[in-house]
Amino acid sequence: MVHMLMWTVDLGSAALLTALEVAALAAFWFAEGLKQWAAGGARPPGATARLILVLTAGPTGLVAVG
């Protein structure tokens, strides 16, 4: 019984962390889209570096938490 409860908690935690990462990535893309829209369609300076940072730091942080 305890094993099943721990398994459920682990699965729920994994799903929650994944949902948080997806929400953070969606918010980042929305913010970057607003910056691009404000710049008249041109990519703002440092956009590629920020994208690489978000795509690597997010999953790395979740691995550290896990």
Side-chain angles (χ1 to χ4, degrees):
M1 179 74 170
V2 173
H3 178 55
M4 176 88 107
L5 178 64
M6 292 303 294
W7 182 80
T8 304
V9 169
D10 286 344
L11 189 60
S13 299
L16 178 64
L17 287 174
T18 302
L20 287 174
E21 183 180 2
V22 168
L25 188 57
F28 170 77
W29 275 335
F30 178 75
E32 286 297 307
L34 283 179
K35 288 178 190 175
Q36 188 172 2
W37 173 74
R43 288 184 63 100
T48 303
R50 284 192 300 275
L51 179 63
I52 291 171
L53 179 66
V54 165
L55 290 177
T56 56
T60 303
L62 287 178
V63 168
V65 169

